Amino acid sequence: MELVFALVIGALTASGVYLLLRARTFPVVVGLTLLSYGVNLFLFSTGRLVTGQQPIIGSAASYTDPLPQALVLTAIVIGFAMTAFVVVLSLRSLADHDDDHVDGRRNEAPDTQTDDGEAHRR
């Protein structure tokens, strides 16, 4: 169980980082979301991966730590708000620049000069 959980966390984190490094806004938004899911699962796993345990100290021999569950719940709310803000920000950038490139530049090849003095595109 722990190995599968660790692989899922690693896959979500790696996919999120890969998408964050893309040059378009939609993959960046999806990458941030996947990265936040990976962090949420990591935080959740710090409270022990057991089922059927009570989250109250003293009422049973073993218990599950409730603090990571509260942290994940808070992180879900903050992540949703962050995603909504980034989507609105990217839509505004698309409307202002007519392009969804993250740094606002268009993907155009620079002009180069040849020996005969003419400008050619690469």
Side-chain angles (χ1 to χ4, degrees):
M1 173 78 176
E2 289 86 6
L3 179 64
V4 173
F5 207 72
L7 288 173
V8 167
I9 291 172
L12 283 172
T13 304
S15 301
V17 169
Y18 174 76
L19 288 173
L20 275 176
L21 297 175
R22 306 298 297 166
R24 301 286 178 198
T25 55
F26 183 70
V28 169
V29 171
V30 173
L32 279 172
T33 304
L34 288 177
L35 193 61
S36 69
Y37 289 163
V39 169
N40 287 344
L41 285 177
F42 176 72
L43 285 174
F44 187 71
S45 69
T46 60
R48 296 189 192 139
L49 294 175
V50 293
T51 57
Q53 299 296 327
Q54 296 179 357
I56 301 170
I57 298 174
S59 65
S62 62
Y63 64 93
T64 302
D65 190 12
L67 182 63
Q69 297 172 15
L71 288 174
V72 168
L73 184 62
T74 305
I76 288 170
V77 173
I78 292 171
F80 180 74
M82 179 196 64
T83 302
F85 175 72
V86 171
V87 165
V88 169
L89 192 65
S90 65
L91 288 174
R92 177 62 190 249
S93 175
L94 178 64
D96 287 348
H97 300 291
D98 294 328
D99 192 23
D100 68 339
H101 204 270
V102 289
D103 61 358
R105 296 186 205 159
R106 296 185 188 266
N107 286 336
E108 296 178 0
D111 291 338
T112 57
Q113 290 251 333
T114 59
D115 292 335
D116 59 354
E118 290 186 33
H120 293 285
R121 294 200 174 255
R122 289 186 205 176

